[in-house]
Amino acid sequence: MFVKVHTGAISGIDAVEVTVEVNVANGGIGLFIVGLPDNTIKESHERIQAAFENSGYKLVAKKTVVNLAPADLRKEGSQYDLAIAIGILVATEQLTTDMLNDSMFIGELSLNGTLRPVKGVLPLVAMARQRGIKRVFMPEENSSEGAVVEGVECVGIRNLLELCEIVAGRMPYVATEGIIESSSELGNSEYTEDFADVKGQPIVKRALEIAAAGGHNVIMVGAPGSGKTMLARRMPTILPPMTLEEALETTKIHSVAGKIGAHRGLITSRPFRAPHHLTSQVALIGGGQSPQPGEVSLANNGVLFLDEMPEFGRNVLEVLRQPLEDRHITISRAKYSVDYPANFTLIASMNPCPCGYYNHPTKECTCSAATVHRYMSHISGPLMDRIDIHIEVVPVSISEMASKERGETSSQIRERVIRAREVQRRRFEGLDIHCNAMMNSAMLRRFAPLDRGCTQLLEMAMSRLNLSARAYDRIIKVARTIADLDGKESIESSHISEAIGYRSLDRENWGR
């Protein structure tokens, strides 16, 4: 007997349909799986056989051929177990059902027949809706994640026996109810950190507010204990609420990477990723033998924090060039090519020198000028050019530390950021960008024209600081954001001056 069962495969952060074709015939004995399966799928024979025995079924002594179509697409992962098992039971007439045509099956089988959660459920369910499939059977732990997609019934299953009872019509099923938050509800995500906890540092707080308002990248340079990490960890608390589209995209990426916990649905808080400085190129950018999203994609729509940036390998840092410009990453290998989103805000921190006390107000630096220059050279000029805001973090005084006065809260800063982002949303309506940092040169001329005074001020700064053409554009972008925060239609000289001040830590001018 021949049957077809619907399932799917992950490609990037999307899914493609895979049809499990099962044919059972006389003329031999054994289970043969074809269609470019990896070792995990080949080993499903043993899992399925044990699950059958512990659920009251059996593998019949006939030749059973399972084809995963399309046959030229390599299949990886354990999510095919359930579809293969159902196909075999129906093909051997141990199970009768009329649900196969409008159902999809996803899940890994344990030896005792229970279902284990798998990766990538959200994009698989989204693909099922596009294909007109009415319901998706999946492990119970994945049902909240899948139910985020509207228009498809997501049925959480505990074990193979329960699934067989349902598809045979002997037991009713209840689809998991999905909760899709509105854009206003997405803004209610709670954070444990708050900018009010940070003592002093008004200049740095101002720089981070500008970065949040315009989507700009930031590097903070300061002595150990000056508060760089504390400030960076509070960056997500002042970013605008996620839109529904951003939340769905973020959830898909984390689903594919297997970073969504059991019984969790939509991710509504902006990601904050802080990889260790021993992170490899592949871990940071993504890829691998079985392609997975890297840290730059897991930080999509959120913050990527690189603490002590010069401690990262130079080759690791250089792979950030493309995603910082293009806001997506394309990974091409001999056997695959995948695209991952990488629209993140980079927050980096570093000491000013190896000992950490260069330019410190009270402690003496023991490093020579050559040592300081060599240390700063760990970050290449082209990479530093792609960071819009360079800010020096000065240690907080004892009197500020002892002060009982609380600063502005994250919610107060966030309100100003949201107003500035709304200005940008209206400005870029109809364009494929949503913040000032994403403007190209043509958009700068259109949306950020400079008067004669601003132009002369910027030209003088370019000459004195020996900045690149890329830095020139980034100063204008930052100035445009400062003007938006001030509620001004046009860029003024004061906005240009402040933006230039945020380039004072440019590597070639450090320490002069």
Side-chain angles (χ1 to χ4, degrees):
M1 185 175 178
F2 173 79
V3 299
K4 288 183 177 181
V5 182
H6 299 290
T7 186
I10 300 298
S11 177
I13 64 167
D14 296 311
V16 294
E17 185 176 15
V18 172
T19 303
V20 177
E21 301 174 338
V22 182
N23 188 71
V24 178
N26 297 319
I29 297 176
L31 175 61
F32 305 92
I33 302 177
V34 298
L36 287 182
D38 70 349
N39 288 334
T40 304
I41 302 173
K42 293 175 182 177
E43 292 169 354
S44 65
H45 173 275
E46 308 300 332
R47 294 194 295 272
I48 291 171
Q49 184 173 17
F52 279 4
E53 292 172 354
N54 288 298
S55 303
Y57 298 100
K58 61 181 180 180
L59 277 175
V60 298
K62 292 185 178 181
K63 183 179 180 180
T64 304
V65 179
V66 176
N67 178 43
L68 306 178
D72 61 347
L73 174 68
R74 182 160 183 80
K75 322 301 186 305
E76 298 176 336
S78 58
Q79 74 266 22
Y80 302 96
D81 287 5
L82 194 59
I84 295 173
I86 289 297
I88 292 173
L89 291 176
V90 175
T92 56
E93 300 182 344
Q94 297 180 74
L95 183 65
T96 303
T97 180
D98 57 0
M99 286 189 176
L100 293 188
N101 289 334
D102 55 6
S103 300
M104 176 181 283
F105 299 86
I106 307 165
E108 175 187 333
L109 282 172
S110 297
L111 299 185
N112 62 357
T114 59
L115 288 182
R116 297 173 59 86
V118 295
K119 301 177 182 179
V121 166
L122 180 57
L124 288 168
V125 175
M127 179 271 294
R129 181 182 63 179
Q130 293 175 351
R131 296 291 187 272
I133 293 174
K134 294 181 179 179
R135 69 189 69 85
V136 181
F137 294 99
M138 64 186 66
E140 192 174 40
E141 291 89 340
N142 290 129
S143 59
S144 296
E145 176 189 338
V148 168
V149 181
E150 293 180 318
V152 181
E153 293 181 320
C154 292
V155 185
I157 302 296
R158 290 188 293 270
N159 54 61
L160 179 62
L161 188 58
E162 177 185 348
L163 175 61
C164 291
E165 292 296 303
I166 290 174
V167 298
R170 296 188 291 268
M171 179 188 295
Y173 67 84
V174 177
T176 302
E177 292 186 6
I179 301 176
I180 297 291
E181 291 88 344
S182 66
S183 295
S184 61
E185 290 173 327
L186 289 173
N188 295 329
S189 301
E190 295 184 359
Y191 297 94
T192 57
E193 297 91 358
D194 196 288
F195 264 97
D197 302 328
V198 181
K199 302 290 186 181
Q201 305 294 7
I203 297 175
V204 186
K205 290 179 181 177
R206 167 68 172 174
L208 292 180
E209 178 182 338
I210 294 168
H216 304 289
N217 303 313
V218 181
I219 185 167
M220 297 181 287
V221 182
S226 56
K228 302 186 296 295
T229 301
M230 187 179 187
L231 287 158
R233 290 193 176 278
R234 282 153 179 75
M235 185 67 174
T237 68
I238 64 172
L239 289 172
M242 296 179 77
T243 65
L244 183 57
E245 292 74 17
E246 287 177 329
L248 286 169
E249 183 180 54
T250 301
T251 306
K252 284 175 69 175
I253 295 170
H254 285 250
S255 174
V256 170
K259 302 294 184 182
I260 296 182
H263 306 290
R264 184 176 181 184
L266 198 66
I267 294 176
T268 59
S269 300
R270 292 193 179 273
F272 180 87
R273 304 294 299 183
H276 191 268
H277 64 263
L278 294 180
T279 296
S280 67
Q281 283 181 304
V282 172
L284 185 64
I285 211 71
Q289 185 174 359
S290 298
Q292 290 286 303
E295 291 291 339
V296 297
S297 298
L298 293 171
N300 186 62
N301 296 320
V303 174
L304 177 66
F305 176 46
L306 300 185
D307 197 9
E308 295 305 326
M309 196 176 186
E311 300 300 326
F312 287 77
R314 188 181 178 97
N315 291 338
V316 174
L317 292 178
E318 290 306 301
V319 301
L320 290 172
R321 289 195 195 183
Q322 186 212 346
L324 285 175
E325 286 287 333
D326 301 337
R327 299 185 181 263
H328 71 88
I329 183 69
T330 301
I331 301 170
S332 298
R333 299 290 185 268
K335 295 183 179 180
Y336 67 81
S337 178
V338 294
D339 290 299
Y340 292 123
N343 185 19
F344 59 89
T345 298
L346 174 66
I347 305 294
S349 72
M350 62 181 294
N351 291 332
C353 64
C355 79
Y357 298 110
Y358 182 79
N359 272 359
H360 195 280
T362 60
K363 297 185 179 181
E364 185 177 353
C365 174
T366 60
C367 305
S368 66
T371 302
V372 175
H373 179 75
R374 186 163 54 250
Y375 182 76
M376 296 296 292
S377 297
H378 290 175
I379 305 175
S380 69
L383 181 58
M384 188 69 83
D385 267 352
R386 287 168 167 81
I387 301 177
D388 304 351
I389 297 175
H390 309 166
I391 189 72
E392 186 175 6
V393 184
V394 180
V396 180
S397 66
I398 299 298
S399 60
E400 288 178 312
M401 289 291 293
S403 174
K404 301 292 185 182
E405 185 178 350
R406 283 170 61 86
E408 273 193 308
T409 64
S410 291
S411 60
Q412 291 173 313
I413 301 173
R414 194 186 203 193
E415 288 177 4
R416 296 195 295 269
V417 170
I418 291 172
R419 287 197 296 270
R421 284 290 183 108
E422 178 60 24
V423 170
Q424 294 166 58
R425 186 194 65 79
R426 294 194 299 266
R427 174 184 298 139
F428 303 129
E429 193 168 6
L431 301 175
D432 193 25
I433 64 172
H434 58 265
C435 63
N436 290 330
M438 300 176 70
M439 288 191 290
N440 57 31
S441 297
M443 293 176 185
L444 278 177
R445 291 191 296 271
R446 176 181 174 187
F447 298 117
L450 302 181
D451 60 25
R452 183 174 180 81
C454 291
T455 302
Q456 290 177 342
L457 180 61
L458 185 52
E459 288 176 352
M460 182 172 61
M462 291 292 295
S463 176
R464 289 186 178 181
L465 297 177
N466 193 26
L467 299 177
S468 68
R470 183 180 284 112
Y472 180 91
D473 285 350
R474 293 187 182 274
I475 289 173
I476 299 177
K477 292 178 185 179
V478 173
R480 177 69 270 176
T481 300
I482 296 171
D484 291 340
L485 284 169
D486 285 351
K488 299 296 179 63
E489 285 289 334
S490 57
I491 298 174
E492 300 176 358
S493 297
S494 61
H495 305 144
I496 290 289
S497 297
E498 185 176 357
I500 292 170
Y502 296 130
R503 299 298 300 192
S504 62
L505 299 181
D506 189 89
R507 180 173 62 87
E508 288 130 23
N509 297 281
W510 176 255
R512 293 183 183 178

